[in-house]
Structure formats: structure tokens, C-alpha cells
Amino acid sequence: MTSGTTITTTNNPNHHNNHHYYPYSATTGSSSASLKGCCCCLLLLFSFLALLALALVLVIFLAVKPRKPHFTLQQVGIQYINLAATPPPFSATTPPFAAVNSAPGASLSLAIRMIFTAKNDNKVGIKYDESTFTIMYRGIPLGRGVVPGFYQPSHSIRLVQTTVLVDRVNLMQADADELLKDAAINDRVELRILGDVRAKIRILGLTSPAVQVSIDCAIAISPRKQALTYKQCGFDGLQL
């Protein structure tokens, strides 16, 4: 008798398959590609607009042909000038011969009114920055005058003025000797006026790079006549 072996397989309801399957979505890849495409299109659009704006500005500048402004010293008026000899310093401990041998110095008081002419030959307006002018004697700064900034329309001429006040400026011995000699003997005091003028051209709300005009004027005044006797100016334009 042949005996059979029976194998019984029991299905465990608690047994689970650990392998999980996720359905593939085709929309995920297409969305990423669309986003990259939009970014590239926007970048190309902005680059095109920037180049177009740059080309438009260049065409406008070439059509306008901007010129550097004309800023000149038109007139110099002496309101007053006063030279006074200052005695050498003396104290109780100073020997008498030292005070006698010490030459006096000099102090200078001066008021000069300067009138400048601003001429704009361009087809567009010019914006001037604030400008400062210095009056010098033998390389020594005596005082400064300030011209406030202003806007000048196209094809116009404008007069601007400033006053330089020098109030009892003491000079060194050698310079004081020369100043007293120039004033008393020669009746001629030579001064120098230095300053820089910065201006910008405005086109359709856009501002061009600054243009600087340097002013260097040599003047001579007569203390007796309280008047200007000589003036010569040089100008130098520099594109910054």
C-alpha cells in the first residue's frame, strides 16, 4: 500500500507584499520642461528689450549730438579791498631789539563778485552741479565762492553770480612783503581764480555721464581804484 503525503499550504491573511508600485505621470516631466522654456523665453525677451533700449538711447544721442557746455567768467567786480600791516607779536618777555628787527606782516580783506555766463547750444537741457571757486594769492587760498546747482533749458544763456569774501586773512612774512609792495608801489595785486564746473545732459529722463569744465583765471586788481585792471581765463573740458 502506497501512502501519499499531503502538503497543506496555509494562506496567512496577515502576510503582505512589501513591493509598492507607483503609477508614472507624464505631466510631471512636461511641467518641468514648460517651466524651463518659459524662463528661457523671459530671459530672451528681457535681453532683447535691454538691447532695444540701448540702441534707442544711442540713436537719440547721435541725433542730438550733445556738446559740452560753455561756462565762462564774464565779469569780476571789486566790492572792496583792504590791506593792513600787522605788527609783530610782542610780549613782556620779548627783547626790545627783537621787536624792532621783526618786520610786520599783513592782513587782507577782500570782497569780489564774479558773474559767470552759462551758454547751452544743445537741443536738450543741461543740469549743473554745485560749483566752488577759490581765489588764490601766490598759491595761498584766500577764500571760496559757491555757485548753486541749476537746470538750464536748451538754446539758452544764463548769468549766475557768486561773491567771495576774504576777512582779514593773515599772510606769511614773505607773502605779506610782496602783497604790500604790489599794493603800495605797483598798485597791482594779482590773484588767481580756480574752479571746476560739472554738468550733465538730460534726454528723455536719462542723464549722460558728467562733463567737467575746469576754469583757471588770472586777474589783477587796483587797490587805489578798487577796480579790475586785467583778466585772462583758460578753460579745459574733460569727459569723465
Side-chain angles (χ1 to χ4, degrees):
M1 179 177 176
T2 303
S3 62
T5 301
T6 304
I7 300 174
T8 304
T9 301
T10 305
N11 293 328
N12 187 3
N14 295 327
H15 178 74
H16 298 282
N17 191 357
N18 294 328
H19 297 282
H20 301 280
Y21 297 96
Y22 297 95
Y24 175 77
S25 176
T27 59
T28 304
S30 61
S31 299
S32 178
S34 300
L35 182 60
K36 292 182 180 179
C38 290
C39 292
C40 292
C41 291
L42 289 176
L43 181 61
L44 291 176
L45 178 60
F46 288 148
S47 301
F48 174 76
L49 292 177
L51 291 176
L52 182 62
L54 182 62
L56 181 60
V57 171
L58 182 60
V59 169
I60 293 176
F61 267 85
L62 292 177
V64 173
K65 295 180 181 179
R67 306 172 185 175
K68 69 178 183 180
H70 297 278
F71 199 92
T72 59
L73 180 61
Q74 183 71 21
Q75 182 181 351
V76 179
I78 308 301
Q79 294 181 334
Y80 70 84
I81 178 172
N82 183 30
L83 294 172
T86 57
F90 178 78
S91 63
T93 59
T94 303
F97 64 87
V100 173
N101 294 333
S102 298
S107 66
L108 172 65
S109 297
L110 177 69
I112 295 181
R113 183 182 71 256
M114 298 182 294
I115 300 178
F116 297 90
T117 300
K119 184 179 181 181
N120 183 13
D121 292 330
N122 290 281
K123 301 177 182 178
V124 292
I126 295 179
K127 178 67 172 63
Y128 286 91
D129 295 337
E130 182 180 270
S131 305
T132 302
F133 298 91
T134 304
I135 291 185
M136 307 183 71
Y137 174 75
R138 296 173 61 87
I140 302 174
L142 300 179
R144 293 183 177 181
V146 177
V147 176
F150 62 94
Y151 175 79
Q152 184 177 15
S154 61
H155 300 294
S156 63
I157 298 177
R158 179 171 178 174
L159 297 179
V160 293
Q161 68 176 9
T162 183
T163 300
V164 180
L165 298 177
V166 179
D167 186 19
R168 294 187 296 272
V169 174
N170 292 322
L171 303 177
M172 297 180 62
Q173 186 58 55
D175 298 320
D177 292 341
E178 291 295 331
L179 179 59
L180 292 174
K181 178 182 176 181
D182 292 340
I185 299 177
N186 302 327
D187 190 31
R188 179 186 174 93
V189 177
E190 296 182 356
L191 301 174
R192 190 177 180 185
I193 301 174
L194 300 175
D196 294 327
V197 179
R198 292 172 59 89
K200 301 176 183 178
I201 297 177
R202 301 193 64 181
I203 302 177
L204 298 178
L206 301 176
T207 304
S208 70
V211 175
Q212 179 172 297
V213 179
S214 299
I215 296 179
D216 186 353
C217 294
I219 65 173
I221 57 179
S222 170
R224 297 174 188 172
K225 299 178 182 177
Q226 301 280 307
L228 180 73
T229 59
Y230 174 80
K231 182 191 75 170
Q232 183 178 6
C233 293
F235 306 93
D236 182 22
L238 175 64
Q239 179 76 29
L240 298 182

